[in-house]
Amino acid sequence: MTTTSVLAADSSVRAVTYVTASGVFSLTWLLVALPLLGAVVLLLGGRRTDRWGHLLGVTMSWAAFVVALVVFIAMLGRSSDDRAFTQQLYSWISAGSFKVEAGLMLDQLSMAFCLLVTFVGSLILVYSVAYMEHDPDRRRFFAYLNLFVASMLLLVLADSYLLLYVGWEGVGLASYLLIGFWNQNRDYAAASKKAFVANRVGDFGLSVAIMIMFVQFGAVDFLTVFGSAGGASKGAVTAIGLMLLLGACGKSAQFPLQSWLGDAMAGPTPVSALIHAATMVTAGVYLVVRSSPIFNLTPDAQLVVVIVGTITLLFGAVVGCAKDDIKKALAASTMSQIGYMMLAAGLGPVGYVFAIFHLLNHGFFKAGMFLGAGSVMHGMNDRTDMRRYGLISTVMKVTWITFACGWLAIMGVPPFSGYFSKDKIIEAAFIGEGWRPWVFGGAALIGAGITAFYMSRLFFMTFHGKKRWEDDVHPHESPRIMLFPMIVLALGSCFLGLILGPTGWISDWLSPIVGEAPHEEPVVPVPVLAVTTLLLVAVGIFIAWARYQREAVPQTAPVGSLATRAARRDLFQDDVNEAVLMRPGQHLTRSLVFVDNKGVDGAVGGLAAFIGGTSARVRRWQNGFVRSYALSMLAGVVVILGTLAVIR
């Protein structure tokens, strides 16, 4: 059985043929089933599984990676046009002419995500064994991690937007449970609720997009929607694209739904690594790239994607410059890096491959840095204030070296991985006509310089300078089981970009799905861009070195300028949300309650009181005395006779 999806790469039309999975590819369902089984066993097994629950969680995640690796190797043995498969699981919804099959779709794009989620996710689970060793609820923690991995795998393997939505909500649920894992702390519980509510706004956009698809195409599966999108009106396609973008903004913490990401650091550090590197925040990028046949048909929606990505990459970079909490500084960097990916995805065929390429590189170096931050916290009695660190490189050498690999990679220093992907995004942003390449390319270039500054600030404040920790803190290296994942991720930070980029492997792998990128030259020559980018990076590193290593760093943050205070408060994003959304929402609900109480309830209550009062008065006429009844009868006769007399 063969089905065909029509993907519009640019002005041409490219057909990708999906065949029913068989042989090794029929094992695709195990990718979701194995970690899901682990979550179910650990949650339903309860305290009886406490002793070995963490081992089961790790085993199930690695087993999913083994399946992904076997399927990937089998894919490599096939031609580039023969690597797309569908697997129907069961009939899910049947309502008249509307039918939805629960099925999986495996191709080069979903395969890349499966490898990232299972490999990086499994390393994070190994790290968590030691990090959560003394937590009495470690078994429940691993259950939630398995649920997180399973939900993300369902999201990237779903063959329809409706099934993707199930994984989408599963990721949101798992993040809520993990961010608020230590919910006995009221601030942590509030942070999990904030993330949950912010994501509900984005989820509303995705659900509206699915509804429009159903109205327009009578179906919500990828193959039908992509094949029919070319026949829909421009307005409908644009509406779908914008609603999909709203969903992506929620999950990937993009402007204007980015406020939850910093607070999400309330969860245990492995959760931060999983959210920022392999799962939740990458979901929005996947949604946009997977929906490329829709976005290719609506330049307006593509432009909005580019604008959102550009604003967010600068927003996150500026916020990261003022954070003293090591995890929140890394969270701001994630926001900024995902902004680069969204910018690339909005550029269309010229940027899709680079968006995914940077996402894969980012998965390694950001997971490595978050685990490195957790290692530092482990040795510093869980303190997160970088102003109370300094000179940790002398006592935590492995953590220092592995973190340095991620630091160099995220700044785009050659030959580390970020250089091969982020610089390509900058080049792609400078392609075009008119004002766009100068605005978007210039923003991407400036963002690279700011990234070098705030990441160097974090690195020097943490590992160099003078000792600033207190006497009761005794920094020490983490256990080997925590260091092993950090070393593996550091190797990926060093060499993954070199393997995938210059060889052209990543482009060859993804182009059958996202289309061939047209050959266009940036408005600024590539060598000039490369040199300019590296100069800005060098300037950013030097300024950070001069301020945070050569000079003494105060243990208490100075008041700073207005810009610094604004960055510390996340550029007033919470204040804006409160003024624009929360307060008007409160006034609206209070007004509706008033209308309900005084209007609806008042009308119903008033009518009931009127009837009750009237009946009470009329009831007085029925007093049981014959003389009263006789008098009323006489009065009635008189009225009747009088009326007849008048009528005559």
Side-chain angles (χ1 to χ4, degrees), residues 284-407:
V285 180
Y286 170 80
L287 180 65
V288 173
V289 176
R290 172 60 75 189
S291 304
S292 58
I294 293 174
F295 283 98
N296 288 337
L297 297 172
T298 168
D300 293 337
Q302 281 185 324
L303 177 60
V304 178
V305 174
V306 173
I307 292 173
V308 166
T310 303
I311 293 174
T312 310
L313 77 87
L314 292 175
F315 191 107
V318 171
V319 169
C321 292
K323 292 296 183 182
D324 294 329
D325 185 307
I326 186 171
K327 290 175 65 177
K328 290 192 175 183
L330 288 174
S333 78
T334 297
M335 188 189 307
S336 180
Q337 295 303 304
I338 299 293
Y340 272 103
M341 300 172 207
M342 294 295 286
L343 165 61
L347 295 173
V350 74
Y352 291 136
V353 169
F354 302 141
I356 301 302
F357 185 19
H358 195 52
L359 186 149
L360 296 176
N361 286 335
H362 179 266
F364 279 81
F365 61 68
K366 184 51 62 66
M369 285 192 289
F370 262 112
L371 296 189
S375 179
V376 171
M377 292 167 57
H378 178 80
M380 296 290 291
N381 294 354
D382 289 330
R383 286 169 170 79
T384 60
D385 188 352
M386 295 185 294
R387 293 185 179 274
R388 301 302 175 97
Y389 289 171
L391 208 60
I392 292 178
S393 60
T394 59
V395 290
M396 303 179 68
K397 293 188 180 298
V398 177
T399 299
W400 169 55
I401 293 172
T402 56
F403 197 99
C405 293
W407 167 59

Side-chain angles (χ1 to χ4, degrees), residues 33-109:
L34 288 170
L36 183 60
L37 176 62
V40 170
V41 170
L42 295 180
L43 291 174
L44 298 184
R47 292 294 180 185
R48 292 169 293 181
T49 64
D50 278 356
R51 293 180 59 187
W52 46 267
H54 57 287
L55 299 177
L56 177 66
V58 172
T59 300
M60 287 301 182
S61 183
W62 278 113
F65 170 69
V66 170
V67 173
L69 186 61
V70 169
V71 174
F72 172 65
I73 293 173
M75 263 193 180
L76 290 176
R78 305 172 74 97
S79 65
S80 60
D81 295 327
D82 192 25
R83 293 171 174 166
F85 307 91
T86 60
Q87 184 177 24
Q88 299 303 317
L89 302 179
Y90 58 90
S91 181
W92 183 18
I93 299 175
S94 179
S97 60
F98 180 64
K99 299 182 185 299
V100 178
E101 299 289 331
L104 305 178
M105 189 169 79
L106 181 68
D107 56 22
Q108 291 92 320
L109 178 60

Side-chain angles (χ1 to χ4, degrees), residues 3 81 153 161 465 641:
T3 50
D81 295 327
L153 289 169
Y161 281 100
L641 293 176

Side-chain angles (χ1 to χ4, degrees), residues 88 90-103 159-163 210 213-214 217-225:
Q88 299 303 317
Y90 58 90
S91 181
W92 183 18
I93 299 175
S94 179
S97 60
F98 180 64
K99 299 182 185 299
V100 178
E101 299 289 331
D159 70 343
S160 70
Y161 281 100
L162 198 58
L163 189 58
I210 295 173
M213 292 173 195
F214 170 69
F217 314 123
V220 293
D221 63 281
F222 291 137
L223 303 184
T224 302
V225 171

Side-chain angles (χ1 to χ4, degrees), residues 161 165 168-169 198-213 239-250 257 287:
Y161 281 100
Y165 192 80
W168 194 267
E169 292 302 309
N199 273 270
R200 297 290 73 73
V201 178
D203 296 350
F204 169 77
L206 179 56
S207 64
V208 170
I210 295 173
M211 295 175 195
I212 298 175
M213 292 173 195
I240 292 173
L242 293 176
M243 289 297 101
L244 290 174
L245 174 61
L246 180 59
C249 287
L257 299 178
L287 180 65

Side-chain angles (χ1 to χ4, degrees), residues 495-540:
F495 302 113
L496 184 63
L498 192 62
I499 295 171
L500 300 182
T503 62
W505 191 91
I506 189 67
S507 298
D508 295 338
W509 179 259
L510 291 175
S511 59
I513 304 301
V514 300
E516 297 282 352
H519 180 72
E520 297 182 54
E521 291 295 330
V523 294
V524 178
V526 173
V528 175
L529 280 179
V531 171
T532 304
T533 303
L534 290 176
L535 284 175
L536 287 174
V537 169
V539 170

Side-chain angles (χ1 to χ4, degrees), residues 159 184 202 360 430 435 483 519 533 553:
D159 70 343
Q184 63 271 20
L360 296 176
F430 272 100
W435 57 270
L483 296 179
H519 180 72
T533 303
V553 177

